[in-house]
Amino acid sequence: MQPRVDFISLGVRSVDASHRFYVDGLGWPVHREVPGEVLFIQVNHGLILSLWDAAQMQAEAATDAPAGIATITLSHNLASTAEVDWVMAEAESAGAAIIAEPKTQSWGGYTGYFADPDGYRWEVAFNPDWVVDGGGKVTL
């Protein structure tokens, strides 16, 4: 198996609420949608974020309903602290709950966290050591 992720699927309580947040609020383009069932958004080269009705996901993937907030973060890395501040403000205006205001971290980066309508945590970050070359290889 190659070390690759092509889909990130999140079980959501309401595909419609996810559409309002990600598409209407943040302006992300829809790749494909089955209303009320699943919303696909292409988020990077060869990578789809799938926002899937949680009950359908649980039935197909044999997962249990979460007891709380999933212990996962999705990260959005940017080129400057100013961009972090701007994206955090954009997310808040789209309806995100700000979990942690952006601040300089002990490791030298600058991060903030927001929650989408289902509570999934997004890290918005500037990491001065994060470099992606022309071939897509990451250096940290």
Side-chain angles (χ1 to χ4, degrees):
M1 179 175 175
Q2 296 177 348
R4 182 184 76 230
V5 175
D6 302 303
F7 264 74
I8 296 172
S9 296
L10 303 177
V12 299
R13 292 183 301 261
S14 169
V15 174
D16 294 333
S18 292
H19 186 282
R20 285 190 299 275
F21 178 72
Y22 288 99
V23 177
D24 300 336
L26 295 179
W28 291 12
V30 173
H31 178 74
R32 182 168 182 235
E33 182 172 12
V34 179
E37 293 182 25
V38 67
L39 170 64
F40 297 131
I41 299 169
Q42 185 156 357
V43 293
N44 210 333
H45 178 82
L47 180 60
I48 295 287
L49 176 63
S50 169
L51 302 161
W52 192 4
D53 175 78
Q56 291 182 7
M57 182 181 189
Q58 290 160 11
E60 183 174 317
T63 63
D64 295 325
I69 297 168
T71 307
I72 183 174
T73 60
L74 303 166
S75 296
H76 186 77
N77 291 313
L78 298 162
S80 71
T81 59
E83 288 179 284
V84 171
D85 292 338
W86 187 85
V87 168
M88 289 291 291
E90 181 183 35
E92 185 173 31
S93 71
I98 302 302
I99 302 303
E101 292 288 341
K103 68 178 184 177
T104 301
Q105 301 295 338
S106 61
W107 48 268
Y110 182 77
T111 66
Y113 289 85
F114 69 82
D116 79 356
D118 284 278
Y120 289 108
R121 298 318 200 238
W122 280 86
E123 174 193 40
V124 181
F126 163 67
N127 182 336
D129 297 325
W130 174 268
V131 178
V132 181
D133 71 17
K137 183 177 179 183
V138 174
T139 302
L140 281 173

